[in-house]
Amino acid sequence: MAGHLQPIKLDSYKPLRELVCETIRQAIISGTFSPGERLMEIQLADEMGVSRTPVREAIRKLEQEGFVVMIPRRGTYVADISIKDIAEIYEIRTSLDMLAAGLAAERITPEELATMNKYLVDINKAAIIMDMDRIVELDTAFHDVLYTASRNERLHGIIYNLRDQLTSIRGRSMSYPGRMAETMDEHRALVDSIAARDVERAQRAARVHMENAERTLMRSLAEAKKEF
């Protein structure tokens, strides 16, 4: 395991164990640690300049979240997401996003609605030049407004955790031929239904968006496997 983590800054209001957990989680999401890579407590602690205790606590939490796998007598490894994992995550995400969209249709503010519309414009600009990193960033921000507008922090937290588990491969779906145009249409349908305060239409739009995203990602992964 190469040393890629930076020392933890202790000037944050957050508990040390949370900072350590966030640091390792982000390293996994960004690809600093690869799927199947072993994580050594001592080395992680040394790189972040902390004791092994918060690292051990962070690893336990990351195991619960599905980011790492702890194998008895062998150690801790970065989880390698499977087709089954993806299917299960999207199955849950679809239901949660439908709930969030329905709640947002009832509770969103005019300012939040304007922000979602602005993100649609920004995503379209990024799509023209196919800047995938920017597209993923904006798409994440777009959905964050939706989840915030649901006014349900626990719902937002659960969705956030599930979404993070797919971050490293989400670009595969968006970059699939024709998918970007479909995504824009689905986003517009979602925003329009929320603006109309139509709960059922908003939930339907969220379901269609998530089901199409899953279908495209699965197709992309299957084709990549054949090429390999």
Side-chain angles (χ1 to χ4, degrees):
M1 181 182 73
H4 295 301
L5 300 183
Q6 299 297 317
I8 293 289
K9 293 183 179 180
L10 301 179
D11 57 354
S12 172
Y13 66 91
K14 296 182 180 179
L16 181 58
R17 63 179 179 276
E18 289 186 23
L19 293 174
V20 170
C21 188
E22 289 177 2
T23 299
I24 300 174
R25 185 192 295 115
Q26 188 55 44
I28 294 173
I29 291 171
S30 66
T32 300
F33 296 138
S34 304
E37 184 172 350
R38 187 177 182 184
L39 301 180
M40 307 289 289
E41 282 186 13
I42 295 178
Q43 185 170 344
L44 291 172
D46 287 344
E47 290 178 13
M48 290 183 285
V50 300
S51 69
R52 293 179 63 181
T53 299
V55 174
R56 190 175 299 116
E57 293 174 346
I59 286 177
R60 290 198 190 101
K61 187 172 191 300
L62 291 170
E63 181 185 31
Q64 294 173 351
E65 295 176 355
F67 286 99
V68 304
V69 176
M70 297 177 68
I71 304 176
R73 296 183 297 280
R74 289 184 58 190
T76 302
Y77 297 83
V78 177
D80 189 0
I81 193 164
S82 67
I83 296 297
K84 181 175 181 292
D85 294 327
I86 294 173
E88 290 180 350
I89 290 171
Y90 268 106
E91 189 171 54
I92 300 171
R93 272 289 307 277
T94 298
S95 294
L96 295 179
D97 273 52
M98 288 176 64
L99 174 59
L103 292 174
E106 296 176 332
R107 303 170 179 176
I108 197 167
T109 66
E111 292 77 16
E112 288 168 335
L113 196 55
T115 299
M116 291 186 76
N117 276 300
K118 181 181 181 303
Y119 279 133
L120 290 186
V121 174
D122 293 341
I123 292 172
N124 187 56
K125 290 178 180 177
I128 293 174
I129 58 175
M130 286 306 289
D131 183 346
M132 291 312 304
D133 288 341
R134 181 64 174 156
I135 290 171
V136 171
E137 176 187 345
L138 290 167
D139 181 76
T140 298
F142 171 85
H143 284 92
D144 276 342
V145 178
L146 169 67
Y147 304 144
T148 298
S150 74
R151 300 292 180 269
N152 189 315
E153 293 184 6
R154 286 179 174 78
L155 173 62
H156 192 174
I158 295 170
I159 293 175
Y160 184 84
N161 170 248
L162 290 170
R163 183 180 65 191
D164 276 354
Q165 295 181 45
L166 294 172
T167 296
S168 62
I169 57 175
R170 280 176 63 207
R172 283 178 174 269
S173 172
M174 292 185 184
S175 61
Y176 194 85
R179 178 56 193 156
M180 198 64 246
E182 293 176 350
T183 297
M184 293 301 297
D185 289 342
E186 291 160 12
H187 281 171
R188 172 47 60 194
L190 181 59
V191 172
D192 287 349
S193 59
I194 291 173
R197 306 290 178 176
D198 190 325
V199 173
E200 291 186 6
R201 186 151 63 97
Q203 292 176 330
R204 186 164 57 250
R207 187 191 72 240
V208 169
H209 179 52
M210 293 306 300
E211 288 178 347
N212 286 345
E214 178 189 8
R215 189 177 301 112
T216 304
L217 178 56
M218 291 294 199
R219 187 182 302 130
S220 174
L221 292 173
E223 292 178 2
K225 186 176 182 180
K226 287 180 181 178
E227 291 176 2
F228 180 79

